[in-house]
Amino acid sequence: MERTMIKDSFEKSGKVLVKGWVHETRDLKKVRFLILKDISGRIQITGIDGKTNPETFELLDNLNRESVVEVIGELKECKQAPGGKEILPESITVIAEAINPLPIDTSDYSKTELPLRLDNRAVDLHSQRTQAIFKIQSTVGSSFIEYFTNKGFVYAHPPSIISSSSEGGTELFKAKYFEKDVFLAQSPQLYKQMIACSMENMVTITPVWRAEKHNTVRHLNECRQMDIEMAFADSKIVMKEMEDSVKYIVEQVIKKNKEDLEILNVNLKIPKVKYLTFAEAKSLMDKNKIKIRDDDLTGEAEKKLSELYSDTLIFVYDWPMAGKPFYIMPKDEKADAELSEGFDAIYKGMEISSGGQRIHIPELLEKRLKANKLNLKDFKSYINSFRFGAPPHAGWSIGIERFTQVLLDISNIREACMFPRDRDRIIP
Ligand code: ATP
Ligand code: MG
């Protein structure tokens, strides 16, 4: 007999075979219940003393939570059962027993603290709440790729091992590579530009590593970024692409993850959109007595902006040059411009993305590298890549864990990463 997923069994009647994990059991003496779960849902298995064969009835009282079992039985209507159906079992076979007790509580009422859950992530991934987060993250990533590949973007894969810093700065992990020292990529920046300058529009989801020592609820040392880069584009064009793709992603989550959103108690709305210049954002902060620097927003400012514009994807553009990396185009392509073609996007109280138009003119790039006190030698092949027919281009990057965090109002980003890497955690 072929396995039926629990969700699909609700469409059927008659005999079924289901496989899954023991969620819980209840013994009411004459009647014993097993709630069985698989990735699609849950179903009640009901054993009745005197009716169910004695061996199976006995086993119903001896199942450990999360053990893997196979059930063959009669699928019947049952108004009181969750989902309106139950299975009267003919046989129950234990395929893989789980130890009892488990290291953490996987029930719906679990109050286990996050660090202990992460220490036991293999067990934690059995819990419905955890699964809901990653089912939604799966929709986020796949609809992101779907949105852009449907528009003809090339799904490309930049390298993770790099020979020198891609952004400047020092927050890089060093590694041994045969006789050489190499670094783990802190961003796919330079590679996606090379791809855009030849294959026009590219999209990727790729891991990046940041050796930042700080320990915050919004940073990981390894995260994955959803990136695009577009040829013949400026910052306005790519902000509009973010607007449309984020709306699409949220729409898909609302459509495909209804139950998961209910489990997490999240009421999602398709975001509105607001465009502000950095100067406008700064004067809003001044009005609200929130101090920010002249070239960057603070976490507090990001939060305030989302209070002022709730359920809104907020773009802050015309960002001062001083607050953006060397490869961001100065306004009007003027090397000494105060403002840049760079922007940040803020959603539900936090930065979810940075982006902008890039410098595609080698001489201008050299000037900007020098102004940032970076060594031209380290960037030779990067600068040269713009000598072979490089059109103006622009792009952005959204962290998928950060996006999941804000979308689902999760307080700590670690909960939105399946196997987080932070200063202290590399296992599991
Ligand atoms: P932040 O200001 O929040 O530290 P950033 O400006 O350093 O982020 P970018 O280099 O602009 O980050 O990276 C683009 C996006 O990648 C960010 O907007 C965020 O969504 C995500 N991201 C960046 N760094 C991290 C990190 N350490 N952990 C998780 N996500 C990150
Ligand atoms: Mg940024």
Side-chain angles (χ1 to χ4, degrees), residues 134-150 155 203 205 226 248-249 252-253 256-257 400:
F134 294 109
K135 281 160 119 179
I136 290 170
Q137 190 167 78
S138 170
T139 305
V140 169
S142 57
S143 34
F144 168 73
I145 294 295
E146 181 182 272
Y147 180 85
F148 286 106
T149 50
N150 280 347
Y155 187 6
V203 60
I205 301 181
M226 304 192 286
Y248 178 77
I249 291 168
Q252 292 304 304
V253 170
K256 294 182 178 162
N257 298 93
I400 192 167

Side-chain angles (χ1 to χ4, degrees), residues 152-195:
F153 283 51
V154 175
Y155 187 6
H157 306 281
S160 293
I161 293 174
I162 56 171
S163 65
S164 64
S165 164
S166 41
E167 307 228 349
T170 51
E171 292 135 2
L172 290 170
F173 285 110
K174 212 181 207 179
K176 267 268 166 266
Y177 189 75
F178 303 106
E179 295 77 31
K180 292 197 176 89
D181 283 336
V182 292
F183 302 96
L184 298 180
Q186 68 190 142
S187 111
Q189 186 58 35
L190 314 186
Y191 297 93
K192 53 185 208 156
Q193 289 189 251
M194 284 191 256
I195 298 164

